[in-house]
Amino acid sequence: MKFAIKDKDGNPVKDAKITVLEGAVEIDKDKISDEKGEFLSSKVDFNVGGKVTLKITKENFKDADIEVLIEDGSDGLFVKAIEFSQAKVSH
């Protein structure tokens, strides 16, 4: 399954580090988003209605644990856009 990590303005987030969990079990770790903000996890079960949690980290962004509901994709390669917030930098 392919996921896309985007900032709050819809821009792709490159080089985010992602761990995928089913419940409390890590099923895929150390994934890195590409220039389109996308990463592929071949270990996500395509069971529609299932859930996974994405633990996302990137410098200058707030760490996030985001629960994702698996939905039916038309071609079996579903792209789920995930919003990821940039951290406010104090000077």
Side-chain angles (χ1 to χ4, degrees):
M1 178 166 287
K2 190 182 288 186
F3 297 88
I5 309 299
K6 307 216 179 236
D7 67 16
K8 65 179 179 144
D9 297 321
N11 301 309
V13 177
K14 181 182 177 188
D15 296 328
K17 183 177 176 181
I18 304 103
T19 299
V20 183
L21 297 100
E22 275 185 357
V25 178
E26 289 182 356
I27 60 169
D28 214 350
K29 61 189 268 185
D30 299 331
K31 306 302 285 186
I32 305 293
S33 58
D34 64 16
E35 65 279 347
K36 295 178 185 175
E38 296 178 349
F39 74 95
L40 181 65
S41 177
S42 59
K43 298 180 181 180
V44 172
D45 184 1
F46 284 97
N47 185 12
V48 174
K51 294 179 186 174
V52 294
T53 299
L54 305 180
K55 294 178 79 66
I56 309 169
T57 60
K58 180 174 171 60
E59 188 175 340
N60 296 322
F61 281 74
K62 295 177 186 174
D63 291 353
D65 290 356
I66 300 173
E67 189 173 90
V68 179
L69 177 65
I70 306 303
E71 300 170 348
D72 191 16
S74 60
D75 62 0
L77 189 59
F78 180 74
V79 177
K80 178 73 176 175
I82 307 301
E83 184 178 305
F84 188 44
S85 298
Q86 212 165 6
K88 293 187 179 193
V89 179
S90 301
H91 294 287

